[in-house]
Amino acid sequence: MPTYDVAVLGAGPGGYVAALRAAKRGAKTCCIEAGLVGGVCLNVGCIPTKAMLHASEIFHHFTRAAEYGFRAGQATVDSAAYMKRVASVTAGLRKGVEGLLKGRKVDLIRGRGRLTARDAILVDTGAEPVEVRARAIIIATGSRPARPSFLPWDSGRVWTTDEATTAQALPESIVVVGGGVIGCEFATVYSELGIKTTVVEMLERLVANLDDDASRAIAKSLDRRGATIRTGRRIVGMKASEAGIAAELEGGENVQASHALVAVGRPPNVENIGLETAGVKLDGKVIKVDDRCRTSVEGIYAIGDVAETKQYAHLASRMAVVAADNATGHPASDPRTIVPVGVYTHPEVAGIGLSEAEAAKTGKKIRVARFHYQASGMARAYGDTEGLVKLVADEELGEILGALVIGQHATDAVQEIALAMRNELTVEEVAATIHPHPTFVEGVMEAAEAWLGFAVHAGHY
Ligand SMILES: Cc1cc2nc3c(=O)[nH]c(=O)nc-3n(C[C@H](O)[C@H](O)[C@H](O)COP(=O)(O)OP(=O)(O)OC[C@H]3O[C@@H](n4cnc5c(N)ncnc54)[C@H](O)[C@@H]3O)c2cc1C
C-alpha cells in the first residue's frame, strides 16, 4: 500500500497547488484526480472563459476598425476555429501543470477517491483499486454546475458551463439562465460575436452580489451589444425540439434560442468522498474549516470550493498554500477576508472588501470617492473610457474598507487595493505612492487623491 506524508484529493487550482507546495516543503506527496488535471478553473472555468472573452473582444474591435483608422472588410466568426483555439489554450496549460507535478515528483493517481479512514483514501482507478495511506489529507474536490431538474437536459440543447466551454462550435442563439458573474461573462462572449443573447435573472439586478454600479455598468454594456436582459424574472418551463429550445418566463413571455446555458450556482462536491466515515463535519453545504484550513478531524484539511462559499480559483490556491504549510509542519493561517472578485465582462469589473452599501451599515462614518476613466490618459489612448475607480474608506482613519473598479484592467488595478487593505495602508499612503504613467492603475491613485480632496484630474470630466 503506497504511503505518503500528504495525499491531496482533487487536482484543481486548490489541489494541484497544495500538492506542489507540500512537495516543495519536502513532503512525499500524491494527488488523486478523477477527471482532468487543472480542475474546473483550467478546463471548464476561468481559463476557457477568458480565452473566449478575449477572442470575442478582438472580434468586437474589428467592428470598431474605422474608429482607429483602419479599413477592414466585414469580419465573420469561424465558430469551430474559435472553439478549437479555446481547447488548445486549456490543453497547453494542462500539460504544463502535469509537467509541474511530475517535476516536483508528486505521484498523480488517476481515479475517484474516497476517504476510508482519517488517514486512508481508496481510489477507484477503473481497474484495480488503489489504497493510499497518508499522514495528512487535503480535500480539494471542488464543485459542479447545478442542473435544475425541470430543464430538458437530454435534448443536448441545454448546456452548463462544462458544455459551453468545450463545445465544438458556438450556439446560433442563446438564453443564459442566471445573471450572476458567470452568466454575464458568457452573455458578453456571445453578444459580442453578434449571437442573439437573452439573459434571464430572477433577482432584480445582474451580479447582485456586487455594488449597484457594477450591475448598472454590465447591464448597459450588454444592452449596447444587443443582448436582451430580463431581471426579476424566473424561467418556469423549457421545451426542447429539433430546432432548439423555448423558454417560458414568469409572466408568460416565451424566448426561443438554439441553446440554453444554465449558470445558477455550483454545489460543492461533498458527496461520496467518505466524509461521514472519516468524521469530517460540514458547515452548511461546505466542509467546515478554520483559518488554517483544518477540518473537524485532525490531519484532514479542506480547501477551495468544497470548503468555501466564495468560489474563486485564487482563494482555492491561497487556501492550498495555507493547508499544505500546516500539513507539513509550517503553521500558517489566513482569515480569508480580503478576497478580490473579478468579472471579466466588457467593461471588466472588480471588487474588494465592502461595497458602499455594506460599508454604510458598519456604523462607521464613511467617505466615498470616484475617479472616472474619462479622465484617464490611458483610457483615452485605448478609446475605451467606460469605467471608474470607486474607493470607500473610513473618514476618520483613512482605512480602506472597499473598492470597486470598472473598466479596462480592472482586475489588475483592484489588486493594489487588496495589497493596501491586507497591509492596513491608508488612503493617504496609496495617494502618495508613485504610479507609472500612463496606466489604468493610476486611477487608484487618482481616486485616493480625490478621497483626500486633492483630485488632480477629476472635476472637469
Ligand atoms: C465558467 C466558470 C468561470 C470561472 N471563472 C473564474 C475566474 O475567472 N476566476 C476565479 O477565480 N474563479 C473562476 N471560476 C471559479 C473557479 O473555477 C473555482 O473557484 C475553482 O476551480 C475551484 O478550485 P478547486 O480546486 O476548489 O476545485 P475544482 O477546480 O472544482 O477542482 C476539483 C477537482 O477535483 C476532482 N475531484 C472531485 N471529486 C473527486 C474525487 N472523489 N476523487 C478525485 N478527484 C475528484 C475534480 O475532477 C476536479 O478536477 C469559474 C468557474 C466557472 C464554472
Side-chain angles (χ1 to χ4, degrees), residues 426-439:
T426 62
V427 177
E428 200 157 13
E429 286 164 317
V430 171
T433 304
I434 299 172
H435 287 63
H437 175 76
T439 50

Side-chain angles (χ1 to χ4, degrees), residues 47 53 66 224 233 237 254 285 305 346 357 377 418 423 457:
I47 300 300
L53 281 156
R224 218 183 282 146
R233 305 281 286 281
N254 268 284
K285 291 183 178 162
D305 285 9
H346 303 142
N423 293 286
H457 293 102

Side-chain angles (χ1 to χ4, degrees), residues 9-15 32-36 39-41 44-46 49-50 111-113 140-143 161 182 186 266 269 273 303-305 311-314 316 344:
L9 190 59
I32 302 156
E33 173 54 57
L36 296 175
V40 169
C41 171
V44 289
C46 328
T49 49
K50 269 77 246 178
R112 189 160 290 282
T141 49
S143 62
T161 51
I182 292 174
F186 275 100
R266 300 185 55 84
N269 291 326
I273 53 170
I303 59 175
D305 285 9
Q311 298 180 327
Y312 305 114
H314 41 277
Y344 297 78

Side-chain angles (χ1 to χ4, degrees), residues 50 53-54 56-57 60-61 64 180-181 183-189 191-192 206-207 210-225 229 341-351 371-374 379 382-389 404-412 440:
K50 269 77 246 178
L53 281 156
H54 185 62
S56 292
E57 189 176 23
H60 182 67
H61 285 320
R64 296 175 59 191
V181 171
C184 287
E185 288 189 357
F186 275 100
T188 302
V189 160
S191 59
E192 221 153 43
L206 301 177
V207 290
L210 291 173
D211 199 290
D212 286 15
D213 280 334
S215 308
R216 270 193 295 275
I218 292 174
K220 193 170 137 194
S221 126
L222 288 176
D223 181 59
R224 218 183 282 146
R225 284 159 173 75
I229 298 164
V341 179
V343 194
Y344 297 78
T345 43
H346 303 142
E348 201 168 286
V349 171
F371 170 75
H372 290 273
Y373 269 33
Q374 276 151 342
Y382 269 53
D384 222 337
T385 53
E386 192 179 351
L388 59 81
V389 179
L404 176 76
V405 187
I406 301 174
Q408 284 276 354
H409 298 258
T411 46
D412 298 321
F440 287 97

Side-chain angles (χ1 to χ4, degrees), residues 137-162:
I137 289 174
I138 301 177
I139 304 171
T141 49
S143 62
R144 61 185 183 278
R147 289 170 169 262
S149 57
F150 71 98
L151 298 174
W153 293 101
D154 289 348
S155 64
R157 296 276 176 180
V158 185
W159 288 349
T160 68
T161 51
D162 287 359

